[in-house]
Amino acid sequence: MDIRTYDGSMNEWRGGAALLLLREEDCAALSALPGAEAVRTLVERGDFKGKKGSSLRVPLFEGGVKNLYLIGLGKAEGCGAALVRDTLAWGLRMAGRQRNESVLVPLTHLEPAFQEGGLSSSAIVGEAAGLCGYVFDKYKEKKEGEYEPFALKEVFVPGLVPEEARRGQTFARAQTAARALANEPGCVITPEALAECAGALAKELGLSCEVWDEKRLKQERMGALLAVGSGSANPPRLIHLTYTPKGKPKKKAVLVGKGITFDSGGLDIKPSNFMTTMKGDKSGACAVMGVLRGAAELDLSVEVHGLLAAAENMPSGSSYRPDDIVRARNGKTIEIDNTDAEGRLVLADALCLASELEPDAIIDMATLTGACAVALGKWRAGLFARSDALADALLAASRRRSEPLWRMPAEDEHIEETLKSPFADMVNSGPRYGGAIFAALFLSRFVKKDIPWAHLDIAGVDFMDKEWGVYSKGATGFGVRTCLDYLAGLSA
Ligand code: BES
Ligand code: MN
Ligand code: ZN
């Protein structure tokens, strides 16, 4: 999609469609509105009041605008960048599905919405335009409703700063790549297939990519990852992607992603209603790949490593069992209490490896616990970090990108106590209460103490049941823009 600047008035616009995002106050102060008699008439008649979530398509038969879309933002108070981004995505999507190829989007009247957010309207329009058109439709023959072909090719924005819009589009592309991969089912994306995708990404962008197979994983003492993968006909893989900037890197960061290509629960098998959507249990790994794409496309001057711990968690005669004791890469032994607490196991080995790289920061992304989704809902991910500096930097990045995070406790002596095992160094699953904190404490045991580390529990936010704002049905790619924004900060 092309995003261009436009310096005429709305009355002179000849491109076809115009999308006008209006707050209730904009409707009251008609003289401040950008152009068009039609808007004035509709507002004066009370057909459109700017209520949040309201929209009106006005087909016009005279002048250059053929379809005028009026979209309500609600009251000015509470209308920030997040709402504008989501509403823009919704409006552009609607215009695109209704066969408009080109749309004018005046935004200058909304300037206050962008002021506190930290991103310009150009960046937001780049993100919204880049995110709105994607749907997971490649296996559908009949394209109707939300799968209606998307016609939009050009967006014109008065006062646009083109580099900022392009940067926004790069952020969106990184996220959409993650969505597209995470949406693929387990029969398509096995750990091996994920490794092939990583190889293709590396080739496209000049990254390096190393893949460890079962044999190598054994040599490398990755006993926890191997245990989780042992029940599946599709063997596990550890995938190491590296982006190296051209000049001297300012910092080194490692991103670790949970890449469970399907989580059946293993021998502690999930009930069927909990098993659907578990193709999404590789979302963390897909997000990491998205961030690497973004880092390379933005030419960041940070060395970025992506470690993807890929396995399929299946029940079979060769599965790992409850009561098994496995040894992670750092030599620590883990007693398996529950084979469905597999994410922390594959991450344990990957976090050991991440620590050995001695980076300035480690961030892991994982659909780790149902408990986190229960605590925070489907719109906010859990952030666990002992380093306030890293936590604050991620919170600031997440605010700019409107991917809400909530900081959770990363220390708790009582929960720590429940990690004790009678027969091994620790157990892999604890009591039901505080399940997300238990998992974070478990992970922390595999991170070298002096390295700032953050864990993002994206269970719940990784998958949407229905289209909403920038998201389509299915995988969201949550966390990609936040991590990329954080890395861009290190690079500045
Ligand atoms: N992949 C799941 C967590 C999950 C749940 C992600 C819902 C997305 C949506 C994870 O592997 C899991 O099964 N966790 C268990 C842990 C328990 C056995 C200690 C859980 O949350 O129930
Ligand atoms: Mn599980
Ligand atoms: Zn899982």
Side-chain angles (χ1 to χ4, degrees), residues 258 260 262-265 270 278 281-282 313 340-344 367-369:
K258 171 175 173 181
I260 298 297
F262 186 73
D263 183 11
S264 69
K270 287 180 184 292
M278 279 303 139
D281 214 19
K282 60 183 179 300
N313 190 20
D340 197 11
E342 84 297 336
R344 61 201 72 180
T367 47
L368 205 60
T369 67

Side-chain angles (χ1 to χ4, degrees), residues 334-371:
I334 305 160
E335 184 183 351
I336 307 303
D337 259 359
N338 192 318
T339 63
D340 197 11
E342 84 297 336
R344 61 201 72 180
L345 294 169
V346 302
L347 290 172
D349 280 337
L351 287 168
C352 294
L353 199 57
S355 299
E356 292 163 28
L357 295 168
E358 303 198 331
D360 299 296
I362 299 174
I363 302 170
D364 76 71
M365 288 192 269
T367 47
L368 205 60
T369 67

Side-chain angles (χ1 to χ4, degrees), residues 163-224:
E163 314 86 83
E164 288 183 17
R166 266 198 298 280
R167 204 174 155 83
Q169 285 177 293
T170 305
F171 272 74
R173 203 160 42 243
Q175 180 174 354
T176 297
R179 295 155 85 189
L181 191 55
N183 274 327
E184 291 287 348
C187 60
V188 174
I189 299 296
T190 59
E192 264 180 295
L194 192 68
E196 277 162 29
C197 291
L201 176 73
K203 199 156 168 226
E204 181 190 339
L205 294 167
L207 315 175
S208 82
C209 178
E210 194 177 314
V211 179
W212 290 354
D213 64 7
E214 317 87 281
K215 200 171 140 231
R216 181 74 189 269
L217 289 170
K218 216 162 280 162
Q219 288 165 1
E220 298 283 350
R221 308 175 318 281
M222 315 263 302

